[in-house]
Every structure is written in C-alpha cells, then in structure tokens.
Amino acid sequence: MLTLADPTLLAIPIANQDEPFVDLAAYPDWQADLSRSQISSRSPHFLKARRAVAERLRDAARRLPDGLKLYVKEAYRPLARQQRSYDEHLVRLRRLRPELDEAARLREASLYVAPPAVAPHPTGAALDVTLMNAAGQELDMGCPFNADSEESNGACYTDAAGLSETARANRAVLIAAMTAAGFINYPSEWWHWSYGDRYWAAVTGAPAALYAAVDESLLESA
C-alpha cells in the first residue's frame, strides 16, 4: 500500500486554494462528537474542515441507509499537535519495535500518525468518522476508533481479515458512502477519509493537492 511516508508525496504540488473552513458541528446532517474523549487535540477548531470537504460529507450522509448517521470525531488538527503526536509515536515504536531500522520505523509510524509535512488533518482536508444508529449508539466496526495496529491486532486496517460479519458489513456501508462522495481512505485506518490533500492527489491522480496546512490562529474567525 502507498503510505504517508512515501517520499513521492512530497513532490506533489499544492494548489493552495483559499477555501474557507466551516464548522462541522453546525450541520444537522451528522452527529459530531463534542466530547473529544478519543482524540489528543485540545484545539477548539477540531471540528472545522474545508467547505468542499463538508459538502462531500453531506453527500456521503445522504447515501446512508435509513436509521444510520455519520459520527464525526475529528477534522482539523493543528500542525504543532500533529508534530507532537508523530514524535511521540516514533518514541513508542523505538521502544516496542527495536528490530526496525529507521526507514522501516518511519514507514510504520506513518501507518497511524501522518508525517507533518504531508499530514492531511492540518490542511482541513481530512475527517475521522464512524457510524451510529438512530439510538445514538456507535456501530461495531471491528475495533475502536483510533486503535493502532498493536492495540487492535491489525483490525484497524480497513481490509483487515478476521472481522465479524457485522463489522465487515458496517465498514462496507461507510466505505460505499464516503467513496461515492469523493473521499479516499487511508488503508491502515478505517475511520480516516480525506479530500484535497497530497495523499488524495496521489491515489486519484490529481495533478496537485488542493490545500496547504493552515495555522490554528487563522481559524479564529472561521
């Protein structure tokens, strides 16, 4: 699989479209997780995304079967928080996987935390999302949101083997809706979807990424 550690991603130009951010918590089309209980970011802008991303998410929401809703966990993430998460994960991998050389360690780290130079969340292009039912209960997706490969025994991979029929069916619903709306998935995280970032450009063949990373201070009025 193409990973976010692949050096070819850095060669993809960025069009840097000046597109506004919108607050996903303000939309009635899905449920937003305001608790932040499963994410490390404390940014007040964690549910903001580019307007085109929100429009595509609305399209995905309308493609779901009756009784199901998207449950959005995180969108924008400050670049400084991305850097800290990446550095912390590398430290953890050095402790848990001492047999890996540095190149392998960087690749392994990128399966769970994107290298800051190509990370989609700081650009407003990425969403972490799952499904919930009409009663407000999260569906069984095979492993918890944000569980890495070690914690989930590999079940975090979108195409993981050994999932229950229920979890695989639920993932298929999410995949169908998000893909039809123009998002691409990062294959080591079933919950991670993006539109307009460098990874999206690489997978879709777009000539350039649409969005550059944005400093958190610029989102105060968004």
Side-chain angles (χ1 to χ4, degrees):
M1 61 172 273
L2 178 70
T3 75
L4 284 160
D6 194 305
T8 62
L9 296 182
L10 289 171
I12 295 174
I14 301 175
N16 197 16
Q17 292 188 10
D18 187 20
E19 184 178 305
F21 281 71
V22 295
D23 187 355
L24 299 180
Y27 286 71
D29 308 80
W30 49 76
Q31 184 71 35
D33 185 357
L34 301 177
S35 74
R36 291 192 283 191
S37 61
Q38 294 175 292
I39 65 172
S40 58
S41 174
R42 299 297 96 185
S43 170
H45 310 294
F46 76 106
L47 284 172
K48 291 181 179 178
R50 300 286 185 164
R51 183 171 58 196
V53 173
E55 291 170 355
R56 281 161 177 74
L57 191 63
R58 178 181 282 171
D59 182 19
R62 291 170 178 171
R63 294 174 182 273
L64 293 176
D66 290 344
L68 296 186
K69 291 190 82 169
L70 296 172
Y71 192 25
V72 182
K73 299 284 188 175
E74 186 176 17
Y76 175 77
R77 184 182 303 150
L79 193 57
R81 176 67 263 181
Q82 186 75 34
Q83 184 71 61
R84 285 197 300 275
S85 294
Y86 185 68
D87 292 343
E88 289 165 1
H89 196 57
L90 278 176
V91 169
R92 182 168 178 262
L93 280 175
R94 289 188 182 103
R95 184 179 73 252
L96 296 177
R97 303 287 303 278
E99 76 281 5
L100 297 177
D101 62 26
E102 190 63 13
R105 191 175 295 118
L106 292 175
R107 182 185 184 281
E108 188 70 20
S110 77
L111 296 175
Y112 186 63
V113 184
V118 296
H121 280 286
T123 72
L127 301 164
D128 291 337
V129 61
T130 185
L131 294 173
M132 63 167 34
N133 61 24
Q137 300 165 321
E138 291 187 44
L139 300 193
D140 175 10
M141 304 299 283
C143 76
F145 159 78
N146 246 358
D148 65 19
S149 183
E150 289 77 22
E151 294 166 334
S152 69
N153 196 27
C156 58
Y157 281 79
T158 307
D159 251 348
L163 298 177
S164 68
E165 290 185 14
T166 297
R168 189 166 298 283
N170 290 339
R171 287 193 189 188
V173 170
L174 180 63
I175 291 166
M178 296 296 284
T179 302
F183 292 101
I184 60 99
N185 171 247
Y186 193 47
S188 59
E189 298 179 340
W190 58 260
W191 56 84
H192 178 97
W193 298 83
S194 66
Y195 168 85
D197 61 301
R198 277 171 155 161
Y199 193 82
W200 165 87
V203 172
T204 63
L210 303 181
Y211 312 122
V214 174
D215 188 82
E216 186 175 18
S217 64
L218 299 177
L219 299 184
E220 293 302 329
S221 60

